[in-house]
Amino acid sequence: MTIQNSKLKIPSKIIVANWKMNPASPKEADMLLKRIWINKDKKLANLEVIIAPPFIYLEPLLLKAKSLRLKAEFGAQDCFWENQGAYTGEISSLMLKNLGAEYVIVGHSERRSYLKETDEIIAKKIKIVFENKLTPVLCVGETAEQRVKGAQKNVVQEQLNKDLREIKNLKNRNLVVAYEPVWAIGTGNYCQPEEALEMIKFIKEILNLNFSQLSGEKNIKVLYGGSVDSKNISSYIKYQDIDGVLVGGASIKINEFRKIIDEVFKAAEIKSAKK
Ligand code: PGA
């Protein structure tokens, strides 16, 4: 099968909805998607909403979104580092590509800790995701202990260097990085927006340094993730350098998530008006 090129320009603001291991039934997944109802008529040209459900819901939701003409992209929460073969229980990025997904979350801290995913594994996943012309959403971030020691920038820099080491060139590639401090995930203890901004600028500097072709490209986005909700969203998204958010818990609470979409939509509009 020939692999189509992913679109090369990502809209100015993006929201990734990481449903994690939720909901418990296909019926509920279907309801959730329908109630998010990202209306195609709304001019969302500057905003991309990416739904990342559990693997088994991807195909029915993709088909449903198509039939309802919803303006949403789909992503997986993980993938394996080979395309096919004797890897019981695994799902490949080639399968995801052939299904119509556009994005794959790679290196989420829950996988790094519960599944013992190392930077070596993550680097292999990033490589194959790129080869299959999907866009990785690479998650990086420090633990509470590392932050107490003031090591957050070193930790993030090391993760980026290791996780992207197979990537020689970012030209004509899409890359999304999510800064997700581990201590902020699912705790309600969100990172202060100014601190998130500082780290996001730092990540962009590293990417610029490591991939000189990057300068001026519109195909790299850096998001914040960790206890984002309808109350704190505007304090992140008002910053031009914060290209969007990765939302976990609040993405499966319909009213919360719709408010988040509205806020990010407003910010994307303002950004495009300033151009
Ligand atoms: P949270 O999760 O929004 O529930 O903190 C974010 C994430 O894990 O990606």
Side-chain angles (χ1 to χ4, degrees):
M1 161 141 344
T2 43
I3 294 164
Q4 300 292 312
N5 255 326
S6 289
K7 57 184 179 274
L8 274 173
K9 205 171 147 199
I10 312 178
S12 57
K13 295 277 183 201
I14 65 181
I15 306 174
V16 182
N18 176 12
W19 286 7
K20 307 196 181 186
M21 202 171 69
N22 297 293
S25 71
K27 204 169 162 195
E28 288 168 273
D30 189 75
M31 283 297 294
L32 203 50
L33 182 77
K34 276 197 257 175
R35 291 187 61 206
I36 295 172
W37 193 261
I38 306 149
N39 197 329
K40 217 167 183 143
D41 303 333
K42 205 167 174 182
K43 286 194 183 58
L44 289 172
N46 297 309
L47 169 65
E48 181 133 292
V49 180
I50 300 147
I51 313 283
F55 286 130
I56 55 160
Y57 303 144
L58 262 172
E59 187 172 30
L61 294 187
L62 263 156
L63 294 174
K64 177 66 76 173
K66 212 170 175 186
S67 74
L68 294 176
R69 303 188 69 241
L70 297 189
K71 173 88 172 61
E73 295 291 347
F74 286 84
Q77 298 172 15
D78 181 44
C79 67
F80 193 62
W81 63 77
E82 297 287 348
N83 280 333
Q84 270 178 285
Y87 304 104
T88 303
E90 293 298 325
I91 302 285
S92 75
S93 57
L94 179 61
M95 294 172 182
L96 296 167
K97 180 75 192 180
N98 290 339
L99 208 62
E102 288 276 351
Y103 293 84
V104 185
I105 298 174
V106 181
H108 191 281
S109 66
E110 285 153 13
R111 297 197 61 85
R112 290 181 193 255
S113 77
Y114 301 131
L115 282 301
K116 305 284 174 260
E117 273 194 18
T118 60
D119 289 304
E120 289 66 37
I121 292 176
I122 293 163
K124 287 200 272 180
K125 292 185 175 186
I126 294 278
K127 182 169 182 267
I128 201 143
V129 167
F130 266 16
E131 280 169 12
N132 284 316
K133 298 194 166 51
L134 287 160
T135 299
V137 179
L138 169 64
C139 300
V140 294
E142 80 286 354
T143 62
E145 296 75 46
Q146 289 164 333
R147 177 161 275 246
V148 169
K149 288 187 201 142
Q152 60 269 32
K153 284 193 175 163
N154 289 344
V155 170
V156 167
Q157 183 162 22
E158 202 177 313
Q159 286 174 333
L160 288 173
N161 289 341
K162 287 184 175 169
D163 299 347
L164 296 173
R165 69 177 169 202
E166 298 283 351
I167 309 306
K168 305 283 173 277
N169 184 347
L170 274 181
K171 220 175 172 69
N172 299 330
R173 304 281 198 174
N174 290 330
L175 171 67
V176 178
V177 173
Y179 170 53
E180 294 213 305
V182 179
W183 48 270
I185 295 177
T187 58
N189 182 21
Y190 58 90
C191 182
Q192 288 309 306
E194 297 68 32
E195 290 176 11
L197 176 68
E198 190 184 329
M199 183 64 93
I200 284 170
K201 284 185 174 169
F202 176 69
I203 291 171
K204 289 185 174 179
E205 268 168 38
I206 295 171
L207 294 175
N208 261 311
L209 264 175
N210 290 3
F211 304 101
S212 51
Q213 310 89 331
L214 172 63
S215 315
E217 299 274 350
K218 293 270 184 293
N219 54 344
I220 309 291
K221 299 286 167 190
V222 186
L223 319 179
Y224 167 72
S227 295
V228 171
D229 62 22
S230 64
K231 290 184 205 73
N232 60 30
I233 180 67
S234 52
S235 59
Y236 293 107
I237 214 69
K238 69 179 182 195
Y239 292 114
Q240 180 115 350
D241 267 307
I242 301 186
D243 297 315
V245 282
L246 202 166
V247 188
S251 73
I252 51 170
K253 295 182 190 139
I254 279 303
N255 292 337
E256 276 288 290
F257 194 58
R258 292 186 63 135
K259 280 187 208 155
I260 291 172
I261 294 178
D262 283 345
E263 288 300 322
V264 181
F265 177 63
K266 273 191 251 157
E269 288 282 89
I270 293 167
K271 191 168 169 180
S272 73
K274 278 187 188 155
K275 275 186 186 159

